[in-house]
Amino acid sequence: MKTLKKNAFIVSCQAEEGEPLFGKETMVKMSIAAQMGGADAIRSLYPDVVKEVKNVVSIPIIGITKNRNLKGAFITTTKKDIDELVQAKADFIALDCTRRERPEPLPELFNYLKSKYPNIGIIADIADIDDVKNIIPLKPDYIATTLSGYTDYSINRPCPDYELIREIIKITDIPVIAEGNLSTPLEARKAILNGAYAVTVGTAITRPQIITQRFKEYLADFQDDELLAVGIDIGGTWTRGVLVDRFGIIKDSDKVRTASTGKEVISNMLSLIKKLKTEETHFLGVASGGRIDFKTGVVGFSTGLIPDWKGVGLADIVEKEFNIRPIVDNDANCASYFQHFITDEDNMLMITVGTGIGGGIINDGRIVRGAKGGGGEIGHIIYPGNTKECSCGKVGCVETILSGRYLKENIYGKEGKEVYKKIREYSKVMAWFIDTLKATLDFYKCYLGGVLPNYGDEFLENIKNSFKQISNEKNADFINYSDLGEFAGARGAALLSLHKGEI
């Protein structure tokens, strides 16, 4: 059996009788144009069209028939349909595998295809996860989400149906082709990142060679291998690195102490990337403390926690070394993006308590970066009455009394009444901090990350109780620890590189 390449882009070139583009000549030209634009396969309707298309393109052909006179299933529903498509030299045949009325039983069609035409690939067009469960025992070569939203029992499925892709890959290793209601290159890319093996676009292609090329270019960096990304998180104390897959799952990780000079930090960063990167790794993301120009990958401002850091062009340095243009962003932004990715929270705040205080704001599913990369620099909000000098040069920044450094100096490992007093004071300031930010940003969830979760649930309850005392909101359940661990920032940076910034 022939196979489709991994991360393939398939163009469905078909027009039914009565449509403006109906006819062999038009479909042949459309198929040629799709191949010119970079399509990896063609999905073609009617045996006579398949035969003509096969004569002029060199990429695989997925053949189908349609009988709109049938009450239920209507795509390639009989042995006669199969015979005619095979005679037309289709490489694959797609069968309507929905749970609708049909002229011939589905198991018979599978047995017929496999026994008589063992070299022809079988694609199962389905509408929901129950369809998938029904056809898994029949062992199709691919499963396509083509009919999601087009049957009476799937009419309310989301469009595009990324959820269905995720459901399918949980229960079977049969590769999934995302098809149906995909209208933009971004949606096609997102389908693959949600687990699809390949993606098919049809209706949206009206100017074939131009629009196909646009889709192909957006998927071009998905090469014929695994989707892996390296993420680096440069913090004030540790520089952490991960190798993750498209789902953010760690395949490898390492960390080193953040060096005392910018030059050494860069050297350590490059060494971590070299250690974690594989031959199949084509995506790199870097998270760093400070104000980052997201478009250029340059550190616009640094508090001094990393010396000689302002003005460093991280993106250019990494690209020169590895010939891969990385995504570079603030470390708290990256951690918040990973939290958003895992918990699917589109409006949230992440407060990272580390050497300083970092903030990552997700608004309507996107990171708030601000005009110059300063969005989320919440640690440098002035707390009333605070006279401590901050590493940024200002006096009174809230991070001087909320950071991990403050916790270590005043609370960590200590006991007695004075420590409990410090915990109460800390909780009140954190509650004020959250309340102030909530009034500004109006988020649904607030996650506390970094070292703070190490201080336990009782500490969190103190913060929640303090919040309820000062706020007109009497429910503080929206405040939670982030349980994503110390590599959250690195994982977020890696995912941002796969997502071309944000998806």
Side-chain angles (χ1 to χ4, degrees):
M1 187 209 65
K2 295 179 181 178
T3 59
L4 294 166
K5 64 179 290 189
K6 192 178 294 183
N7 305 319
F9 177 51
I10 304 163
V11 177
S12 183
C13 296
Q14 52 179 285
E16 298 182 54
E17 190 170 357
E19 295 179 351
L21 297 181
F22 178 73
K24 285 186 289 186
E25 184 177 350
T26 306
M27 288 301 102
V28 166
K29 289 181 178 179
M30 181 176 280
S31 300
I32 293 171
Q35 180 173 269
M36 286 176 61
D40 300 303
I42 300 291
R43 182 169 165 124
S44 188
L45 173 62
Y46 304 131
D48 60 334
V49 177
V50 170
K51 182 177 180 180
E52 295 298 323
V53 171
K54 188 68 177 177
N55 290 332
V56 295
V57 301
S58 58
I59 54 181
I61 306 296
I62 301 167
I64 64 171
T65 65
K66 288 183 179 179
N67 185 349
R68 294 287 185 180
N69 294 321
L70 296 175
K71 287 184 2 185
F74 65 95
I75 299 175
T76 321
T77 56
T78 68
K79 300 181 187 71
K80 180 176 180 292
D81 293 336
I82 291 171
D83 288 336
E84 290 176 349
L85 288 170
V86 172
Q87 290 164 15
K89 305 213 182 291
D91 300 288
F92 301 85
I93 291 178
L95 305 175
D96 188 324
C97 293
T98 59
R99 304 188 306 281
R100 296 180 290 182
E101 181 182 336
R102 56 194 328 111
E104 296 180 26
L106 201 53
E108 282 187 20
L109 297 183
F110 270 77
N111 290 335
Y112 183 76
L113 240 173
K114 289 187 175 187
S115 60
K116 190 171 182 181
Y117 308 113
N119 295 323
I120 302 297
I122 303 175
I123 297 173
D125 287 350
I126 56 87
D128 69 3
I129 196 65
D130 288 327
D131 284 347
V132 176
K133 292 174 181 176
N134 284 343
I135 59 93
I136 285 175
L138 301 178
K139 298 182 179 178
D141 299 299
Y142 299 92
I143 295 171
T145 60
T146 314
L147 295 166
S148 173
Y150 293 101
T151 65
D152 56 356
Y153 56 83
S154 68
I155 194 85
N156 294 319
R157 297 288 310 179
C159 299
D161 202 341
Y162 305 119
E163 180 183 347
L164 181 55
I165 298 169
R166 295 193 296 269
E167 288 176 344
I168 295 170
I169 65 176
K170 286 179 182 177
I171 65 171
T172 180
D173 293 327
I174 299 171
V176 179
I177 300 172
E179 183 172 359
N181 297 296
L182 294 161
S183 301
T184 68
L186 185 64
E187 289 173 348
R189 185 180 184 89
K190 189 172 181 178
I192 289 181
L193 289 170
N194 272 274
Y197 180 90
V199 60
T200 300
V201 175
T203 303
I205 299 191
T206 56
R207 297 180 66 200
Q209 70 273 32
I210 302 299
I211 299 176
T212 303
Q213 185 177 0
R214 205 172 78 213
F215 275 90
K216 180 62 178 180
E217 285 175 354
Y218 211 78
L219 299 173
D221 52 349
F222 289 158
Q223 301 180 32
D224 189 17
D225 50 31
E226 293 300 317
L227 294 178
L228 300 171
V230 168
I232 303 295
D233 181 8
I234 304 168
T237 305
W238 291 99
T239 297
R240 299 176 174 89
V242 294
L243 175 69
V244 304
D245 64 12
R246 74 183 86 180
F247 305 109
I249 296 172
I250 296 176
K251 301 298 183 181
D252 197 4
S253 65
D254 199 3
K255 66 180 182 179
V256 295
R257 285 274 180 183
T258 298
S260 58
T261 68
K263 187 176 181 180
E264 289 177 287
V265 172
I266 291 168
S267 177
N268 288 344
M269 172 189 70
L270 296 177
S271 295
L272 267 180
I273 294 173
K274 286 177 183 175
K275 181 176 181 180
L276 295 167
K277 184 179 176 295
T278 71
E279 290 185 4
E280 292 187 318
T281 307
H282 310 297
F283 303 91
L284 300 173
V286 179
S288 171
R291 186 175 296 174
I292 308 298
D293 187 324
F294 183 72
K295 293 181 180 178
T296 65
V298 174
V299 181
F301 175 77
S302 178
T303 62
L305 294 175
I306 304 174
D308 312 316
W309 205 234
K310 182 179 179 180
V312 173
L314 287 171
D316 290 342
I317 291 169
V318 172
E319 185 176 24
K320 183 178 179 181
E321 184 73 20
F322 299 101
N323 198 32
I324 298 172
R325 186 71 178 178
I327 292 290
V328 182
D329 206 349
N330 173 268
D331 52 359
N333 284 349
C334 292
S336 66
Y337 188 71
F338 186 60
Q339 183 75 54
H340 152 72
F341 178 83
I342 293 297
T343 58
D344 204 23
E345 297 285 352
D346 282 346
N347 290 278
M348 52 155 279
L349 169 71
M350 165 80 86
I351 299 174
T352 54
V353 181
T355 308
I357 288 287
I361 303 162
I362 303 292
N363 182 55
D364 289 337
R366 302 190 70 80
I367 297 171
V368 176
R369 296 188 175 91
K372 297 181 179 179
E377 289 291 339
I378 59 176
H380 302 289
I381 293 173
I382 302 299
Y383 182 71
N386 182 17
T387 59
K388 293 181 180 291
E389 185 174 340
C390 182
S391 59
C392 74
K394 297 198 302 184
V395 174
C397 291
V398 72
E399 82 167 34
T400 62
I401 50 177
L402 288 182
S403 69
R405 180 179 292 175
Y406 178 88
L407 286 168
K408 186 174 182 180
E409 291 173 355
N410 294 277
I411 296 173
Y412 182 74
K414 296 180 173 59
E415 295 181 359
K417 291 182 179 179
E418 189 62 29
V419 176
Y420 290 117
K421 180 181 177 183
K422 292 285 187 182
I423 291 173
R424 288 194 296 272
E425 289 174 354
Y426 184 97
S427 298
K428 288 179 181 179
V429 176
M430 182 61 82
W432 168 88
F433 193 37
I434 294 170
D435 183 62
T436 300
L437 292 166
K438 197 169 195 312
T440 306
L441 303 170
D442 191 27
F443 44 80
Y444 285 124
K445 292 282 188 177
C446 175
Y447 290 95
L448 305 177
V451 300
L452 197 54
N454 298 334
Y455 287 79
D457 292 338
E458 188 176 344
F459 207 122
L460 178 62
E461 286 305 311
N462 272 307
I463 294 171
K464 288 184 175 183
N465 289 333
S466 294
F467 177 85
K468 286 187 284 188
Q469 289 171 12
I470 67 169
S471 173
N472 57 10
E473 292 190 39
K474 298 309 176 185
N475 189 335
D477 289 342
F478 71 93
I479 305 171
N480 293 285
Y481 282 146
S482 172
D483 60 0
L484 301 180
E486 63 176 317
F487 291 101
R491 295 167 84 178
L495 286 174
L496 278 170
S497 71
L498 280 167
H499 296 177
K500 281 189 177 289
E502 285 159 275
I503 289 182

